[in-house]
Amino acid sequence: MPFEFTEDQQFIRNEARKLLTDNYSGDKLRQLLETPGACDETLWQHCRDMGWTGITIAEEFGGLGLSAIELCVIAEEMGRACAGTPFLLSSFAVSQALSLWGSEAQKAQFLPQLASGERVGAISLFNRRGAVRPDVIFADGQIDGEAPAVTAGLHAHLAIVLVDAGGAPALALVDLTQAGVQRAALETFDNSRATATLTFTQAAAELIGPIGAGIAAAKTLLAHAAIPTAFEQIGGSDRCMEMARDYALERKAFGQPIGKFQAIKHRIADMYSRNEIARGNALAAALALVTGGDIARPAAAARAAAIAAYEYATRENIEVHGAIGATWEMDCHLHYRRSRTLALELGAAAMWKEQLVATLQQQSGAQTRSNESADITSYRQRIRTWLAPYAAEFGAAARRGLSMDADIKLARRWQAIKAANGYAAINLPALYGGGGGTELEKIIFAAEESRLGLPSEYFVISLGMPVPIMLLWATEEQKQKYVPPAIRGETLWCQLFSEPAAGSDLAGVRLRAIRDGDNWILRGQKVWNSYAQYSDYGILVARHDTSVAKHAGLTYFFVDMRAAGVEVRPIKLLTGHSEVNEVFFNDVVIPDSYRLGKVGDGFKIAIQTLMIERYAGADESAFGPALEEFVALLGDAEFNGRPALESDLVRSEIAEWMILQGGVRAIQAKALGAIERGAAPGPEASIFKPLLCALRSRISTLAMDVLGPMAMADNPRLKSGDRDQRAWLALPSVRIAGGTDEMLANTIAEKILGLPQDYRPDKGIPFDQIG
């Protein structure tokens, strides 16, 4: 899946950024804001000269014949610049309508004019009440009525208008240069959009597409327009984040850059996180558009996510700048205005969220996902067919009420079956027992497996952290010996990083590794180690040298958990379960062959492990029951006297879940694909858990609220993924595991955005001199 732009698309991006940087500035937009209906005609001419006006139009009609992806690349750069011409995307919408429903004569007449930029297009699909319903009347080849607030309407030559054709909704193609069309510039808070109200008085028009299907066609056209518009919003959001970051690096208070204060740093990190979720949804939508898939669901998700990301970024950008950010001379308000304009032009976020939930009800989790290609859908169906016979023996019903020991025993049997069929570690090399498949196939399989409640969670650590690290750092002999049994489920691995005095501060570990000839002696303690009491091996980082700086004195090992001197003590959590432990190493002897990497490489490999962990641990169901289960739960429930699924509050939360789910899938596929190619994992996965946990908190609370007093009933034998009560109870632990929200925000701010590190008085000091 092309979740990254190709070299050619990157070239287009660079050319667009250079053109806009050289020829456009905030000062120009400030001038346009003073005049209702204004636009930057010079910039529009540049668009024509570059061929952007016909970028998606077929070559036979004078266009470049490229895909919508290339248009999205340009739209993102236009959004970064807050460019003062709306014509590129409004003309694209008209060309899409002609390509989808126009007659050959209509295409031959109008597409070349749109491709050259000689004519500008506009769409009018909303009535004065903001609904996708016609107020304009079509009869005998003429239209009468008013089209309110049409973007680009003041200068457009052609328009696609939703009309009432004898009681049947339809789309009409209208030449706006004729005498029967009057335009009135509409003064708005973003006058650069050439917004106008159009009045039609016996204006000639041609129907386009089938009569009676006008509402569906209008929504399809809006979905097509929403995808490049989402990229425009993402470009603006990205630019606001950069503005806030740059100002936070430059502005000083109390003797240091304000970007060093966590309150500022975390605001900017949150801007990044929201924008990446929006970008993931937009990329998925663009992919569906170019592959010919059903775009209703991904376009709605992209639209809603991009609205939220851009508006949040513009508000926080002004806040970071302080009082100067709210002045006319600064560019902050230009994006603030534009974010609200783009949030309204294609219909408000609430409309798109409602459409998103409607697609979920139309396409249940057991059916095709709307943003999938035929190949992906075929693979998903193949997996469902293969999994189905195992659901009764290994699925949720069979596991309910089992003890941990019995459940793990069942899970080992299930893992062996998967391994024999190439599904135990789909994305890992076949040479070591993996499936040799793609990261995307792994994600699809995991989603289908989770839907049936099959026992895979005990191997998430083994296959998510130790095995990938072994493949990156172990010798060939180590790989052959340890990786295949882990994939088959014959061995379980745990991760031994945290200590009583070293949680978020990973480099502060005190477990000693003392060299003794060809062996090492481990002495000390680890804590919060999941499934350590069931594990055969564990990976750990230990301190081999206390005389150097704390980051430099660490080495990475693995250890036999059954070795003499290893003592595991389970810890009972607030859920009543004891899946985590503290582990004591009482002079445990391990051979030097249990070392990964060089002596002193420990911190580097540990950080790499954590990056992999954050990708592998991104649970799109937000650490609890899946979305489909939430919807099924609400099927017969009432909320405030109405069916729960009709509640606006409930539907809004479902939409938020779908948006986050789509963003996580896309980001994870892109990032893990890079890891699969051998690239080092990056810190981008730090965005997953805080957002997922916050969503699960809302969803599980809402689910319990809907159930009312009966939601107090709790079965402590159930796990967090079985019931919303259990998920809610487990959340405090989940939020802390793998890094607190604050530490993950710091990672984003410092490692990705380049903001200053927090004050660290022990940096560079020999470990044995740290108090």
Side-chain angles (χ1 to χ4, degrees), residues 77 87 125 230 240 332 340 375 443 507 538 574 604 631 690 723-724:
E77 294 306 311
F87 305 147
L125 306 176
C240 288
C332 301
R340 190 88 286 260
D375 288 343
I443 291 172
L574 63 85
K604 175 174 65 177
V631 173
R723 291 287 186 273
D724 284 287

Side-chain angles (χ1 to χ4, degrees), residues 637-660:
E638 289 189 0
F639 194 50
N640 291 333
R642 298 168 55 198
L645 284 175
E646 293 181 10
S647 163
D648 290 340
L649 172 61
V650 171
R651 296 177 77 83
S652 179
E653 289 296 272
I654 292 173
E656 289 293 333
W657 195 340
M658 296 173 72
I659 290 165
L660 187 54

Side-chain angles (χ1 to χ4, degrees), residues 91-123:
S91 290
F92 163 73
V94 174
S95 70
Q96 287 294 97
L98 287 165
S99 299
L100 288 169
W101 306 297
S103 67
E104 293 305 314
Q106 289 170 330
K107 293 176 185 177
Q109 179 180 357
F110 297 115
L111 284 177
Q113 298 172 349
L114 291 168
S116 68
E118 173 190 348
R119 287 201 166 201
V120 169
I123 58 173

Side-chain angles (χ1 to χ4, degrees), residues 366-400:
Q367 297 172 358
T368 303
R369 299 187 184 200
S370 58
N371 63 338
E372 290 183 349
S373 68
D375 288 343
I376 295 172
T377 298
S378 175
Y379 180 77
R380 187 183 295 281
Q381 191 56 53
R382 192 172 92 223
I383 295 305
R384 286 177 177 163
T385 301
W386 185 82
L387 287 173
Y390 296 104
E393 184 178 1
F394 296 100
R399 299 174 61 198
R400 192 156 292 135

Side-chain angles (χ1 to χ4, degrees), residues 309-547:
Y310 195 13
E311 294 204 307
Y312 179 82
T314 61
R315 293 193 302 268
E316 295 304 298
N317 184 32
I318 294 174
E319 182 75 13
V320 169
H321 278 77
I324 196 171
T327 62
W328 181 265
E329 68 183 270
M330 295 293 290
D331 287 353
C332 301
H333 74 97
L334 304 180
H335 284 282
Y336 184 68
R337 295 167 182 269
R338 181 61 52 81
S339 70
R340 190 88 286 260
T341 301
L342 293 180
L344 297 172
E345 285 182 345
L346 299 178
M351 182 193 84
W352 290 93
K353 284 185 176 183
E354 178 57 35
Q355 178 176 312
L356 188 57
V357 178
T359 66
L360 178 68
Q361 292 179 294
Q362 293 162 7
Q363 298 178 334
S364 70
Q367 297 172 358
T368 303
R369 299 187 184 200
S370 58
N371 63 338
E372 290 183 349
S373 68
D375 288 343
I376 295 172
T377 298
S378 175
Y379 180 77
R380 187 183 295 281
Q381 191 56 53
R382 192 172 92 223
I383 295 305
R384 286 177 177 163
T385 301
W386 185 82
L387 287 173
Y390 296 104
E393 184 178 1
F394 296 100
R399 299 174 61 198
R400 192 156 292 135
L402 289 182
S403 67
M404 185 79 80
D405 291 290
D407 204 36
I408 289 178
K409 185 177 180 180
L410 188 76
R412 286 183 187 270
R413 287 176 49 211
W414 172 234
Q415 189 71 10
I417 292 171
K418 289 195 297 180
N421 289 273
Y423 294 130
I426 291 173
N427 64 317
L428 296 181
L431 176 63
Y432 305 109
T438 67
E439 185 59 40
L440 178 60
E441 289 172 341
K442 172 197 163 188
I443 291 172
I444 292 171
F445 187 93
E448 296 305 315
E449 192 178 28
S450 173
R451 192 170 60 83
L452 297 175
L454 294 161
S456 61
E457 64 265 32
Y458 302 112
F459 301 98
V460 168
I461 294 174
S462 292
L463 304 182
M465 283 80 80
V467 167
I469 282 295
M470 294 284 285
L471 293 175
L472 288 172
W473 289 96
T475 65
E476 185 59 32
E477 182 182 356
Q478 289 171 326
K479 293 175 187 177
Q480 292 286 356
K481 181 176 180 179
Y482 295 106
V483 172
I487 289 176
R488 293 192 297 266
E490 295 165 10
T491 57
L492 270 174
W493 289 65
C494 62
Q495 180 176 299
L496 304 151
F497 280 10
S498 295
E499 297 182 7
S504 299
D505 183 10
L506 177 60
V509 300
R510 296 176 179 273
L511 174 72
R512 290 300 311 279
I514 304 164
R515 191 71 181 256
D516 183 20
D518 291 334
N519 296 324
W520 294 84
I521 299 172
L522 300 178
R523 184 180 299 157
Q525 178 187 358
K526 296 291 182 178
V527 73
W528 312 124
N529 315 117
S530 297
Y531 306 128
Q533 71 269 52
Y534 303 103
S535 294
D536 303 284
Y537 294 94
I539 51 173
L540 60 83
V541 61
R543 185 164 303 284
H544 74 274
D545 189 350
T546 62
S547 67

